[in-house]
Amino acid sequence: MKTIDDLRRRSLALSKYSCLIAAVPPTLAAAGWIFHINLLKQIHPSLPAMQPNTVFGLLLSSIAIIFSGENREPRQPRVACMLATVITSLGLLTLAEYVFAWDPGIDRIFLGEGISTGQPFPGRPSPQTSTNFAILGVGVLVYNLRFLPIRLGQVCALAVGANATVAITGYIFQTSQFYGFPTFIPSIGMAVHTAVSFILLAIALLCSRPRDGMMSLVTSDTRSSSMARRILVTAILAPPAVGALTLIGVTADWYPVHVQVSLFVVVLVTLLLRATWQAARQAEQDELQTRAALHETRNANEKLETAIAERRIFEALIENSSDFIGIADANGKPVYVNPAGRRMVGLPGDYPIENTQISEYYPASQLSFVSEVILRSVVDQGHWKGETFFRHWETEGAIPVSDEHFLIRDTETGKVLGMGTVTRDISHARRAQEQIRQSQERFELALRGADLGAWDWDIKTGTVIFNARWAEMRGFGPQEIKSHVDSWAHGVHPDDWPRVQKAVSDYFEGLVPEYEVEFRALTKSGDWIWILDRGKVFTRDDEGKPSRMVGTELDITQRKSLEEQLRFSEAKFSGIVRASADAIICLDENQQITLFNEGAEKIFGYSSSEAIGASVDILIPERLRSIHRQHVAQFSTGGETARRMGNRSAVIVGLRRNGEEFPADAAISRLGVGGKQILTLALRDISELKRIEYEQRFLAEVG
């Protein structure tokens, strides 16, 4: 009943909302007439407009129907009757004007004749509109006069809706006879929005009294009523919807007339199929209800058969299980062991289980544990589970097992019927665990041999497992380190943290093939050590995001210190070479220049970019190049690592870029690096010294 009451409340609400929506077109049309907005009066210039008298009649009809619904106040029926009388009079008088060519002037109540454009009756509704007003007014009167059958009013509502639907059909098929009467005095016909308002008012009038007349057949809880409700909504809403769609197509010239006819036929066929389907579905539901009674009768037998089948399945499951399954009675006497259990403990298949005791299934070393722990826990708590050993009856060997014991109780009374045992041979698991343990030991030894710290990071939870070396590098004991990623993150030097974060982020996003970063880590003493951190993602979630990452850390503080010393040494060497006024030139094995300092640039006139990569021959006069190469080759293969070039009787001669030759004092050294030799020449221009020597020798000879 609650569902039917809800349906009737929805019917009343639909009546109210339909009246309000039906009042929208006439309200807009009234604004169009007042403010001269043609778009509000008529949907399209080629279609009829809603006349002022029509606007007046539709608004009165909306108010009258609202006052005609259920739960009315005492005065509302009288007001509704008065409004209905006005509506009926408007329709009948307008029809009289058409039939008898009578002009009482009611078509100019709201619109003067001078305002109209080429229309003798500026405010007069069409004959169909007038007919609908007369019928609708009678219907409202019947709804509010108790001595008349309400079905008569509902028939009037259906007639109004049918008339309006015919008008819309005329627009669909471009048949003006459906919305106008050309045989009478010329009229503009029923407007499209007028027809829509009439359909809404007809729906509102029918839904305003859901408990009475024909509507009671729709709002009851019978099967036929349910079927009617399903069909009724489609039957009412489909024609206006198709009409509106077709009208838009006609106005926009989207498709020809035969397409319009096809569209309308498709809708009618669809409605017919829907009604047929609903009837078939209802018949199917009736048949299902009939069959339900038969099913209930069969259920008892089926349940019994199911119980028997389940018992057989249960027995087959136990018989074919690979685990030891045993059952003891309430006194603890074994009564059943499945075939897998017999094979596990080496018990012959024909050996009577009744002749065994629970204690015989365990080694002698486990008997006290069985009596004091297992059986006591089963009696006190009803359950025990753990790892222990079984005894092999033939070899007397101990079998590691995962053992579970539990009480078997009657599901209805709770009485203890016996004890069940489910045991699994875990010999393979024990061997695998031992192999894993040995593998972990080898891994730890390998890490310790390489002096590596290791970490295993659960990215989702932030949990990290650090090995002992990881903690030792920082001066901590393993128990002092919290197993969380914060233990690592908080120890990274603040200046290095952005670079570390970027390295992790780039690796997770696939921008770099591996995670590798160097950073400073804080030790327990407050000092900073350099760490080389490497890692790799081993597990990803369903979305492809990293979930587990494993890596190693290496203390590279000593290497960093050596690198710093090397950089300092290189900086000093570079500064000395740059600041030297002498020419310092390095040659490779092919005697090509690889270093050319500023002193060399000033002495020879070549820039460093010009000299590097060129042969040393550009610095030697052509007549001396061959002998110079021989001397350099002899020095490279000789035992000396450094010596002066030339002697007192022979002077080294250099060649400037401008072709000028000059005397020089030079020394050469040899250094082997990576299996290759690097020759270094230190050369000084002694032109000024030779000049002074010459002058002194000249003065001595003259004196």
Side-chain angles (χ1 to χ4, degrees):
M1 294 303 295
K2 181 179 180 181
T3 303
I4 299 303
D5 291 340
D6 290 341
L7 180 63
R8 288 171 177 170
R9 281 194 293 270
R10 292 175 184 175
S11 177
L12 294 174
L14 177 61
S15 174
K16 181 179 179 181
Y17 292 139
S18 297
C19 287
L20 295 176
I21 297 173
V24 172
T27 303
L28 295 176
W33 284 106
I34 295 172
F35 299 106
H36 306 288
I37 302 175
N38 290 332
L39 182 61
L40 299 179
K41 296 184 293 185
Q42 55 189 138
I43 296 177
H44 190 271
S46 63
L47 300 177
M50 184 183 292
Q51 299 302 313
N53 285 12
T54 303
V55 171
F56 175 70
L58 290 175
L59 292 176
L60 288 184
S61 300
S62 298
I63 298 172
I65 293 174
I66 290 176
F67 286 168
S68 300
E70 290 184 357
N71 303 323
R72 300 169 295 172
E73 296 182 1
R75 297 183 180 180
Q76 288 183 354
R78 284 181 285 178
V79 175
C81 289
M82 293 173 57
L83 296 177
T85 302
V86 175
I87 296 168
T88 303
S89 300
L90 175 63
L92 293 176
L93 289 174
T94 304
L95 288 175
E97 287 180 327
Y98 282 114
V99 175
F100 302 108
W102 180 38
D103 185 13
I106 62 172
D107 52 353
R108 290 182 291 277
I109 295 177
F110 301 103
L111 188 64
E113 188 173 355
I115 299 178
S116 64
T117 304
Q119 295 184 13
F121 311 109
R124 181 182 297 180
S126 68
Q128 290 94 332
T129 304
S130 304
T131 302
N132 265 10
F133 279 137
I135 298 174
L136 185 61
V138 171
V140 174
L141 282 172
V142 171
Y143 264 68
N144 290 276
L145 296 176
R146 290 293 184 180
F147 59 87
L148 294 175
I150 196 170
R151 293 199 178 194
L152 177 61
Q154 292 172 342
V155 170
C156 292
L158 293 174
V160 170
N163 193 12
T165 304
V166 169
I168 290 181
T169 305
Y171 285 108
I172 294 174
F173 296 103
Q174 298 180 355
T175 305
S176 60
Q177 289 85 350
F178 282 13
Y179 57 85
F181 288 90
T183 55
F184 286 166
I185 297 175
S187 61
I188 62 172
M190 182 185 293
V192 176
H193 39 326
T194 301
V196 172
S197 293
F198 273 129
I199 291 175
L200 291 172
L201 290 174
I203 294 173
L205 187 60
L206 288 171
C207 293
S208 64
R209 301 285 284 276
R211 300 175 184 272
D212 302 324
M214 292 182 289
M215 288 301 295
S216 64
L217 301 177
V218 180
T219 59
S220 64
D221 56 354
T222 61
R223 295 177 184 175
S224 58
S225 176
S226 176
M227 184 182 300
R229 286 195 296 272
R230 295 173 183 174
I231 300 175
L232 189 61
V233 175
T234 304
I236 292 175
L237 297 181
V242 176
L245 178 63
T246 308
L247 180 60
I248 294 173
V250 171
T251 305
D253 196 20
W254 288 347
Y255 37 71
V257 175
H258 67 275
V259 176
Q260 303 170 29
V261 175
S262 300
L263 179 62
F264 196 73
V265 170
V266 167
V267 172
L268 291 179
V269 172
T270 302
L271 292 176
L272 180 60
L273 291 176
R274 175 179 170 80
T276 304
W277 177 76
Q278 292 288 356
R281 185 178 178 183
Q282 188 65 48
E284 181 182 5
Q285 291 178 351
D286 294 343
E287 184 179 355
L288 290 176
Q289 290 179 356
T290 302
R291 292 179 178 179
L294 297 176
H295 289 325
E296 291 178 359
T297 305
R298 296 173 183 172
N299 277 343
N301 295 332
E302 290 180 356
K303 288 180 179 179
L304 179 59
E305 294 175 359
T306 301
I308 296 173
E310 289 177 352
R311 179 182 178 86
R312 291 173 180 171
I313 293 173
F314 179 71
E315 291 175 351
L317 180 63
I318 293 177
E319 290 290 322
N320 293 282
S321 175
S322 59
D323 294 336
F324 179 105
I325 299 179
I327 300 175
D329 60 19
N331 298 320
K333 185 72 173 177
V335 294
Y336 172 80
V337 172
N338 69 337
R342 288 175 177 267
R343 291 192 297 270
M344 181 187 297
V345 298
L347 193 64
D350 57 352
Y351 193 91
I353 299 300
E354 297 79 5
N355 296 340
T356 64
Q357 300 292 330
I358 292 179
S359 59
E360 294 181 276
Y361 292 87
Y362 294 89
S365 60
Q366 296 285 309
L367 294 181
S368 60
F369 178 77
V370 172
S371 60
E372 296 177 6
V373 178
I374 297 179
L375 297 180
R376 185 180 299 275
S377 297
V378 173
V379 173
D380 296 342
Q381 303 174 12
H383 182 269
W384 183 88
K385 182 178 182 180
E387 292 185 0
T388 182
F389 292 90
F390 263 15
R391 179 180 73 90
H392 196 279
W393 287 60
E394 294 181 357
T395 64
E396 295 295 333
I399 306 170
V401 294
S402 174
D403 204 9
E404 183 174 3
H405 300 268
F406 52 89
L407 291 179
I408 302 174
R409 298 180 182 273
D410 189 296
T411 56
E412 296 181 358
T413 63
K415 181 181 178 181
V416 175
L417 303 178
M419 182 178 69
T421 301
V422 178
T423 305
R424 176 167 296 180
D425 186 347
I426 58 173
S427 301
H428 295 289
R430 286 287 181 87
R431 286 193 291 270
Q433 290 174 356
E434 180 62 21
Q435 292 174 357
I436 292 173
R437 186 189 63 79
Q438 294 176 359
S439 177
Q440 289 177 340
E441 287 182 355
R442 289 193 294 269
F443 176 69
E444 287 292 336
L445 289 173
L447 290 176
R448 187 165 293 277
D451 200 27
L452 291 174
W455 48 267
D456 188 341
W457 179 20
D458 187 334
I459 301 174
K460 297 293 185 182
T461 63
T463 302
V464 183
I465 299 174
F466 304 103
N467 73 341
R469 177 56 187 154
W470 191 95
E472 290 173 2
M473 276 193 269
R474 292 161 171 79
F476 293 97
Q479 69 280 359
E480 298 180 86
I481 299 297
K482 182 180 178 182
S483 299
H484 195 274
V485 70
D486 292 342
S487 299
W488 165 76
H490 292 163
V492 179
H493 196 286
D495 295 342
D496 299 338
W497 179 243
R499 180 163 46 82
V500 174
Q501 281 185 309
K502 186 176 185 303
V504 175
S505 177
D506 289 349
Y507 176 60
F508 282 176
E509 294 175 5
L511 302 179
V512 293
E514 58 185 10
Y515 165 70
E516 181 175 333
V517 66
E518 295 178 358
F519 59 86
R520 286 164 288 179
L522 183 64
T523 64
K524 185 176 182 180
S525 62
D527 297 327
W528 295 95
I529 60 172
W530 277 96
I531 296 293
L532 172 60
D533 198 10
R534 293 189 179 102
K536 184 177 181 181
V537 171
F538 278 85
T539 307
R540 296 181 179 271
D541 59 16
D542 296 338
E543 299 178 357
K545 296 180 179 180
S547 60
R548 184 188 176 198
M549 187 175 179
V550 179
T552 61
E553 287 189 354
L554 178 64
D555 185 348
I556 58 171
T557 306
Q558 185 176 3
R559 193 195 79 186
K560 282 289 186 178
S561 177
L562 293 175
E563 289 177 354
E564 185 66 24
Q565 294 175 14
L566 178 60
R567 283 194 295 271
F568 180 72
S569 176
E570 290 176 347
K572 287 199 302 181
F573 173 75
S574 177
I576 292 171
V577 169
R578 250 192 331 266
S580 175
D582 295 342
I584 298 177
I585 304 167
C586 289
L587 305 177
D588 61 13
E589 293 178 329
N590 298 321
Q591 296 192 27
Q592 290 183 328
I593 300 171
T594 59
L595 175 66
F596 203 75
N597 74 335
E598 293 181 5
E601 291 179 343
K602 293 178 181 179
I603 292 174
F604 288 96
Y606 290 98
S607 67
S608 176
S609 60
E610 292 173 326
I612 292 176
S615 174
V616 72
D617 290 346
I618 65 172
L619 309 179
I620 303 171
E622 186 174 0
R623 67 181 185 278
L624 302 175
R625 291 174 182 171
S626 176
I627 190 65
H628 172 78
R629 281 188 170 272
Q630 293 178 8
H631 290 166
V632 171
Q634 291 175 359
F635 173 74
S636 299
T637 58
E640 295 180 300
T641 58
R643 70 176 177 83
R644 290 180 59 82
M645 300 181 69
N647 51 49
R648 292 184 178 181
S649 60
V651 178
I652 297 299
V653 179
L655 179 64
R656 304 188 201 275
R657 181 177 183 181
N658 58 10
E660 177 186 352
E661 296 183 4
F662 64 93
D665 184 14
I668 186 170
S669 63
R670 183 180 63 190
L671 178 66
V673 178
K676 296 183 179 180
Q677 290 188 352
I678 298 177
L679 301 178
T680 303
L681 300 176
L683 184 143
R684 178 177 297 175
D685 185 352
I686 58 173
S687 300
E688 184 65 19
L689 179 62
K690 289 295 182 181
R691 185 185 64 79
I692 294 173
E693 288 179 354
Y694 175 77
E695 290 179 353
Q696 289 177 350
R697 190 169 57 250
F698 176 77
L699 291 175
E701 291 175 356
V702 173

